[in-house]
Amino acid sequence: MKEIVVRENEAGQRLDKLLGKYLNQAPKGFLYKMLRKKNITLNGKKAEGKEVTYAGDVVRIFLSEETYAKFSSERSQNPLNEKVPCLDPNQIIYEDHHILIINKPAGILSQKASPEDVSVNEEILSYLLKKGEVTDEELQTFRPSICNRLDRNTSGLLIAGKTLAGLQTMAALLRDRSLHKYYQCLVAGSVREKQRVEGFLYKDPVLNKVRILDKEVPGAKPIATEYTPIRAGEKITCLEVLLITGRSHQIRAHLSGIGHPIIGDVKYGKESINRYYQKNFQLHHQLLHASRMEFPEISGPLSYLSGSCFEAPLPSLMTKIMKGI
């Protein structure tokens, strides 16, 4: 007999969903049959599977060790590659029980693009495992994860949810755009006035590249970007950008579309400008940095974050180039 006490990060989901994570090789029909025959019970009573579970609920699975092992791969899976490096504590901007905010360097993925990749997500899991805040067994049914993404070659603030409440709250704030995300970037040309620009973004999934259009076409999505010059020279400007909408490559493509491409951007930038900064500053990525996050009023378990503001210092190379403006 296997006894499962529902943990905080497993609560709030249907019983059949939870069973599917523990008995992840079992057909759904088998699980429902075991429920009907009371070989699986919830708090000592017969269950149908649609019941919502709560922290502290007790699920008992009356199966032989051989049968349980057959339908569960939890012991054979290694949830995290042992070679994954641990998150550098110097990257941590803020941490509490529910969330972790880090300053991602340019050059690393936010999430895996292929199985062999190492991303910030895995580094965070490695960090939490090392701290003892999560175990290999717990990772079978709940995985802490980043909540927003940055391009590989964009640096700055990333939020990770360490608990179910953290993930759900951050996901809601990002979805309704009430969490304001500000970026700083260095662009070609002189920009002297604050502006809000709008348009439509069309993504080519084959080329993984987007186009900014003046008119709506099938498949295009409306976008809005607001930017404010912080420091402007004759050939280069530092902008603070507020994402009104958040589409793939939006800032990079939108600024390029109005004639001010981000310096170092090989996909949307200007080759001759990029070549200059590669030669003189050894720059090999776009100078785009997620610099600040401002939280709105929040209800629920993360209400203590209401009105909070978090900032990530600019990368040293970006600061060095800015001195020349």
Side-chain angles (χ1 to χ4, degrees):
M1 188 270 289
K2 173 82 170 179
E3 182 174 283
I4 300 167
V5 179
V6 178
R7 296 182 285 252
E8 174 190 358
N9 290 327
E10 297 170 327
Q13 60 185 310
R14 284 171 47 134
L15 175 60
D16 52 2
K17 297 292 185 182
L18 179 63
L19 290 171
K21 293 176 180 178
Y22 280 92
L23 296 168
N24 50 16
Q25 301 300 312
K28 286 186 177 181
F30 174 81
L31 296 177
Y32 291 126
K33 180 179 179 181
M34 294 300 99
L35 287 165
R36 287 195 302 271
K37 296 179 67 174
K38 291 186 68 175
N39 285 341
I40 301 176
T41 62
L42 176 63
N43 296 325
K45 298 178 181 180
K46 184 177 180 179
E48 296 180 4
K50 63 182 180 181
E51 296 83 358
V52 175
T53 57
Y54 296 89
D57 280 352
V58 178
V59 180
R60 292 188 175 91
I61 303 174
F62 297 93
L63 298 175
S64 67
E65 292 291 336
E66 294 78 10
T67 302
Y68 187 88
K70 174 184 175 182
F71 290 123
S72 172
S73 60
E74 65 171 331
R75 299 299 179 187
S76 62
Q77 282 186 349
N78 181 5
L80 198 64
N81 189 316
E82 293 178 357
K83 296 182 180 180
V84 172
C86 184
L87 177 72
D88 183 351
N90 292 322
Q91 294 176 23
I92 297 174
I93 301 296
Y94 174 80
E95 182 176 12
D96 63 29
H97 174 66
H98 292 292
I99 68 167
L100 177 69
I101 301 178
I102 72 160
N103 184 9
K104 182 187 91 68
I108 184 169
L109 291 167
S110 298
Q111 289 183 315
K112 282 186 174 186
S114 58
E116 63 273 12
D117 288 335
V118 173
S119 72
V120 171
N121 219 35
E122 282 68 49
E123 290 186 352
I124 289 172
L125 288 175
S126 180
Y127 167 76
L128 295 176
L129 282 165
K130 185 176 180 180
K131 285 185 67 181
E133 291 195 27
V134 69
T135 65
D136 284 339
E137 183 181 9
E138 289 171 331
L139 289 180
Q140 303 298 331
T141 57
F142 174 78
R143 294 175 76 87
S145 175
I146 62 167
C147 305
N148 60 312
R149 294 188 192 184
L150 295 175
D151 292 336
R152 180 197 289 268
N153 289 320
T154 297
S155 58
L157 294 172
L158 276 179
I159 310 174
K162 295 168 57 177
T163 65
L164 185 61
L167 281 173
Q168 291 175 335
T169 302
M170 293 302 108
L173 297 180
L174 290 163
R175 188 168 54 248
D176 66 17
R177 306 290 175 195
S178 58
L179 191 161
H180 290 168
K181 297 183 291 181
Y182 293 85
Y183 293 73
Q184 286 193 33
C185 58
L186 297 185
V187 301
S190 182
V191 182
R192 301 289 176 172
E193 296 181 356
K194 176 179 179 179
Q195 285 196 33
R196 174 181 172 129
V197 288
E198 299 182 356
F200 296 89
L201 181 145
Y202 178 81
K203 183 174 183 179
D204 185 331
V206 177
L207 299 176
N208 189 30
K209 192 172 182 178
V210 306
R211 288 185 291 134
I212 306 300
L213 309 172
D214 293 330
K215 298 180 180 179
E216 187 174 9
V217 300
K221 297 179 179 179
I223 58 170
T225 309
E226 186 175 285
Y227 60 84
T228 304
I230 296 175
R231 189 182 301 176
E234 293 302 318
K235 296 182 178 180
I236 181 174
T237 302
C238 177
L239 295 179
E240 181 176 74
V241 181
L242 171 62
L243 273 180
I244 309 300
T245 57
R247 310 294 187 191
S248 178
H249 299 182
Q250 176 179 323
I251 295 176
R252 296 164 59 191
H254 218 168
L255 291 174
S256 178
I258 62 172
H260 297 289
I262 295 175
I263 291 170
D265 191 340
V266 297
K267 185 167 285 191
Y268 302 101
K270 190 171 182 180
E271 185 178 354
S272 60
I273 295 174
N274 292 342
R275 194 182 307 119
Y276 170 84
Y277 284 94
Q278 288 171 2
K279 179 181 178 181
N280 292 279
F281 294 93
Q282 289 73 56
L283 177 66
H284 299 288
H285 59 82
Q286 66 257 13
L287 292 175
L288 177 61
H289 180 71
S291 57
R292 190 166 90 250
M293 287 181 175
E294 295 180 354
F295 284 80
E297 288 298 312
I298 304 172
S299 59
L302 276 75
S303 60
Y304 58 88
L305 288 171
S306 295
S308 297
C309 178
F310 299 98
E311 297 189 46
L314 294 176
S316 57
L317 183 56
M318 193 168 175
T319 301
K320 181 180 180 181
I321 295 174
M322 278 182 65
K323 289 180 180 178
I325 300 180

